[in-house]
Amino acid sequence: WRSFPSQEWYHDDYWKEFRCPLGRKVVDFADEPQFSRLAAMYIRGREFLEDKITVMEIAAEFMPQTWFIESEQGESRWRDVEGKRVTMEAITATHTGGPWFVKDADKNWGRSVVCCASPEECMALTAPSNRYVVQQHVANPLLLQPGDRKVHIKFYMFLLGLEDMKTWRLWTRKDGYLSVSPNRWTKEDLSAETQVTIIRSSRISMAEDVEWRDKHWPEAYPKCKEIVMTVIRKAVELGKITGRPIIMGSDASTTVDDNSGCYSGQGGKRQFEILSADFLIDTTGRPWMFEFNLTPVLRDEDYSPVVNDLAEVREAINLAMPEEVDVSQSEGEAEFKPKLWDFAGEFKFDAKGGGVSKPALRGGLR
C-alpha cells in the first residue's frame, strides 16, 4: 500500500475536519466510502444495528426485558418492544429490586446511560423530544474476582459484504476485552463507577480471575458467538443491512428495485466493518446482550505495545481486500487464513424466498 495525498473535504457541525483524496479522486481504498474503489469501510444499514430501539426487532430474545419511553403529542409514554402502551403498574410488577438503566436510544458510550433505583424514577430522567431504552439490571450477574466486581464483555466482530450485494460473512474474536468496575457490586450502589462499565480494562486472555478466564468464558464464548450470528443473519435476511452499489463510471446505471428492497443493475463493491456487542454473563452461564457498537474502541501500538488491536485490523483488511498470495510459499493455500478471527457463518439475502444461511456454528443456547 502507498499513501495517496489528501485534502480537506468538509467540517461537521462540531467543526471536525474530514479529508478526501487529493482532487476528490477515487482510490483503491479510503475511509470515506464514495472515494474507495475496492471496498467501503462502512456497511449500509449500520444505523439499524446501532439504534437501541430498532435492533430490538431482531435481538429482543437475547436481551434483558426492555421498555421504551417515547414522546407522544409532547408527552413521554412507556411502550413495550412491540410498540404497545404499557402502564406504570405493569412495569412496577416486574421490579426485582435491582437498579434500572435509562439509555438514550440514539447515543453510544456510558455517558448516555443513567442509573436509578426504580421504574418510577425513570421518567424524570428523560426529555420529551428524545427516545429512550429502559432495562432493569440482570438479576444475578457473574462477578469478577477478587472483589465481586461487575464485568461487561466487549465482543468484537468483523462483518464483510461481498460484491454480489447479497452475500455476507461474519467472523468473531474470541479474545475480546473486559470492562471491569473498580468497586464491589451491589444493587444499592447506583454510582456510574459501579454500574456503568464501559472502559476496556484488559484482554479476556489476561483476566486476573482464573476461573472466569479458563472456565466461564470458554463456556460462554460459543453462546455469544451464536447470538451475534443469529442477529446478523436476521439483519441480512430481512434486508436491514444491504448491498452497496457502485455509483460511478459505467456502473452509474445501478438503481434501487422498489419491489424487493435490494439493488439491481451491474456491479457492487465490498463493504466491511469491525463492530462490537456488549454482553454480561449471569451465574447460570447465560449471556445477555445489551447493544451493538458500530464505532468500537480500536487502539494502535502507540497506545500500548502489548494491548492493542493492530493485528485484528490488519487481518480484517486482508479479509476484505485480500493480497495476492504466492502459492509456492503458502503450502498450496491461495486463500488468506486469519489467525485471530473465528469464522461464524455466511448469510445471503434472497428477495424472493428469504435468506439462505450457512452458519459455521450450530446448536442451541442452554
Side-chain angles (χ1 to χ4, degrees), residues 88-101:
M88 177 57 68
E89 291 75 15
I91 296 171
T92 303
T94 68
H95 183 45
T96 60
W100 288 69
F101 299 96

Side-chain angles (χ1 to χ4, degrees), residues 32-86:
E32 296 294 342
Q34 55 267 56
F35 299 110
S36 191
R37 182 179 65 84
L38 295 178
M41 199 169 73
Y42 303 107
I43 61 175
R44 300 182 84 247
R46 65 198 304 270
E47 62 279 357
F48 177 87
L49 294 174
E50 193 160 42
D51 188 289
K52 297 174 180 62
I53 291 180
T54 57
V55 75
M56 296 296 294
E57 296 178 27
I58 56 175
E61 64 184 295
F62 306 117
M63 304 173 78
Q65 188 172 8
T66 302
W67 295 268
F68 307 137
I69 297 179
E70 298 182 292
S71 178
E72 181 180 313
Q73 297 180 345
E75 185 176 353
S76 296
R77 304 284 190 183
W78 286 87
R79 297 189 181 277
D80 63 16
V81 294
E82 296 178 350
K84 299 177 182 178
R85 288 275 300 274
V86 185

